Amino acid sequence: MLAGEIKALVLSGARDAARERFAELVALQQRRAVRIAYQYLRDVHDTDEAVQDAFVKVFTHITSYREELPFEVWFTRILVNGCLDLRKARARRLKWTLPMASGGDMTPHDPPAPQPGPEARLVASERGRQIAAAVEKLPERQRTVFTLCQMAEQSTAEVSQALGLSEATVRVHLFRAIRRLRKLLEHQR
Amino acid sequence: MSDHLSDDELARLLDEHRESVNAEADAAFPADRLARQQSRILARIEHEGRPGRLIAFPAGYAHAPAALRARPGMRWVAGAAAAGLLIGVVAGQLTYDFSTRDRTRVAQVVASRPDAGAPALRAVSTTLSEEEFLGQLEMAIEGIRPDSLQPLDEMTPRVWEIAAR
């Protein structure tokens, strides 16, 4: 609804008013956007960049927003595409900057951990590292579907709209992703 | 511990992981950082749609275009010069094409003449040999030869004399 208002304001030439309303939209969506981007990128600076770019793109292309689609779906699509682009760029960067011996290991560097007790932190971080490594090994489409469904807690219908896939395809990707994760995690035990 | 992960166990693991990553994201992006991010987003969209600012380089020549704009006569002169150049180039091109075409046409007419009884055309050389040309050149400049160089000239052999030997 808010996105529809912003679109109308931009179309009528009231850009200042549109920007004011857009600030409200950013405030509403920002935390969720940061969480989704962080799930993908696991890097604070990349997450910041991806979220900023996604919001700027939304405002720039607000006139092409179709109001029959929930704004979250449209926005998630833009954000996820941006995150995938950043991941590819980062992989290219790593390929040329890391020595050949460690070039194949593309696990993301760990961001600062939260601060519970040392023992719990160790166990949690080890388990988290294993799951993150397993998720990294998924094929791109499976990882995207899994991240949106499981990590961003979106329904398969929302993910199908966000990715432009049929809901049945999303379910298949999700099923395969979980099956593969299970195997990978069982191997690590 | 069994190697097999039950559905419940996997679901629990993934839920824990999600909560943990979300907590990491929240810790990495506290409220003040989100506020900074928001202001950067708004600053970026404020510049969207505005024309880019032209930065003069080098700085000393910043007003040169303004001076040109203030003198429209200069533009007329430049336009006339460009037009003259263009006309000259086009005219030169057309002249060249016509002469080439005329020669080709004459050659075609001569080659396709039907009267076989006419005497055959002989190729007549219209070019001078190198020696003849140099000789004629020497003759031409004979008249402007200073008297002081006469003895020297007499000592110097002629080109055609050497060529004849």
Side-chain angles (χ1 to χ4, degrees):
Chain A
M1 192 188 288
L2 194 49
E5 280 179 39
I6 295 165
K7 179 182 174 180
L9 286 169
V10 169
L11 285 173
S12 65
R15 284 186 78 87
D16 288 341
R19 271 197 293 272
E20 278 174 27
R21 298 294 278 158
F22 191 70
E24 293 172 36
L25 185 72
V26 171
L28 279 175
Q29 298 287 335
Q30 204 177 359
R31 172 67 67 194
R32 179 176 163 274
V34 163
R35 284 181 170 183
I36 292 175
Y38 193 78
Q39 293 277 1
Y40 268 93
L41 300 164
R42 309 297 300 279
D43 178 273
V44 175
H45 298 291
D46 284 354
T47 300
D48 195 12
E49 188 182 337
V51 170
Q52 281 192 43
D53 288 351
F55 277 117
V56 171
K57 264 184 206 158
V58 162
F59 188 79
T60 313
H61 297 101
I62 194 75
T63 50
S64 60
Y65 167 60
R66 289 181 291 126
E67 284 155 270
E68 67 268 18
L69 205 69
F71 173 76
E72 287 76 12
V73 170
W74 186 59
F75 175 67
T76 306
R77 190 171 191 161
I78 291 172
L79 180 64
V80 167
N81 284 338
C83 289
L84 292 175
D85 287 347
L86 267 178
R87 279 178 67 99
K88 281 178 198 157
R90 191 166 65 187
R92 275 198 299 273
R93 252 191 345 254
L94 286 171
K95 187 178 168 187
W96 294 106
T97 52
L98 285 182
M100 291 304 282
S102 56
D105 183 13
M106 293 293 184
T107 51
H109 36 92
D110 286 335
Q115 306 294 320
E119 197 179 334
R121 203 172 65 191
L122 190 69
V123 172
S125 70
E126 175 61 17
R127 198 183 295 136
R129 193 193 60 75
Q130 286 176 350
I131 295 173
V135 172
E136 283 295 310
K137 285 179 184 162
L138 293 176
E140 187 177 300
R141 185 56 63 80
Q142 285 180 24
R143 190 175 59 237
T144 302
V145 168
F146 172 79
T147 304
L148 287 177
C149 288
Q150 178 66 27
M151 301 300 185
E153 296 181 280
Q154 293 200 308
S155 69
T156 49
E158 286 171 326
V159 175
S160 81
Q161 284 181 314
L163 300 182
L165 301 170
S166 75
E167 208 175 330
T169 309
V170 169
R171 284 206 198 97
V172 168
H173 282 307
L174 184 60
F175 172 76
R176 287 181 182 165
I178 290 174
R179 190 177 59 184
R180 188 156 179 164
L181 276 177
R182 185 197 298 275
K183 275 187 190 162
L184 288 167
L185 292 172
E186 281 172 356
H187 264 286
Q188 289 171 352
R189 294 183 125 200
Chain B
M1 192 187 278
S2 159
D3 274 357
H4 182 70
L5 262 177
S6 70
D7 286 349
D8 286 348
E9 208 175 354
L10 181 64
R12 187 182 51 77
L13 268 180
L14 293 177
D15 285 348
E16 279 177 10
H17 177 61
R18 181 184 60 232
E19 294 305 321
S20 150
V21 176
N22 282 345
E24 275 179 28
D26 293 350
F29 286 85
D32 60 328
R33 184 163 191 159
L34 287 181
R36 280 202 304 275
Q37 186 186 59
Q38 188 183 4
S39 58
R40 275 198 294 268
I41 292 166
L42 296 176
R44 280 176 66 182
I45 64 168
E46 197 159 352
H47 291 101
E48 288 291 324
R50 281 191 189 174
R53 196 159 67 92
L54 192 66
I55 298 170
F57 179 83
Y61 292 92
H63 299 297
L68 265 181
R69 274 199 301 276
R71 295 169 63 189
M74 287 289 286
R75 279 187 291 172
W76 279 107
V77 171
L85 179 67
L86 187 68
I87 291 166
V89 168
V90 171
Q93 194 69 30
L94 287 175
T95 311
Y96 175 78
D97 282 347
F98 282 135
S99 61
T100 311
R101 267 186 232 139
D102 285 348
R103 265 205 301 270
T104 314
R105 206 180 307 133
V106 169
Q108 282 170 349
V109 168
V110 169
S112 63
R113 276 181 74 163
D115 51 344
L121 289 172
R122 272 189 301 123
V124 177
S125 170
T126 55
T127 57
L128 296 170
S129 72
E130 195 176 353
E131 290 78 23
E132 286 168 334
F133 172 71
L134 289 172
Q136 286 184 12
L137 198 64
E138 281 182 7
M139 297 284 281
I141 60 174
E142 201 118 307
I144 55 169
R145 186 171 54 190
D147 291 342
S148 56
L149 293 176
Q150 185 70 32
L152 188 64
D153 183 52
E154 283 167 4
M155 287 167 61
T156 312
R158 299 280 186 273
V159 172
W160 62 85
E161 289 170 0
I162 296 167
R165 279 180 211 159

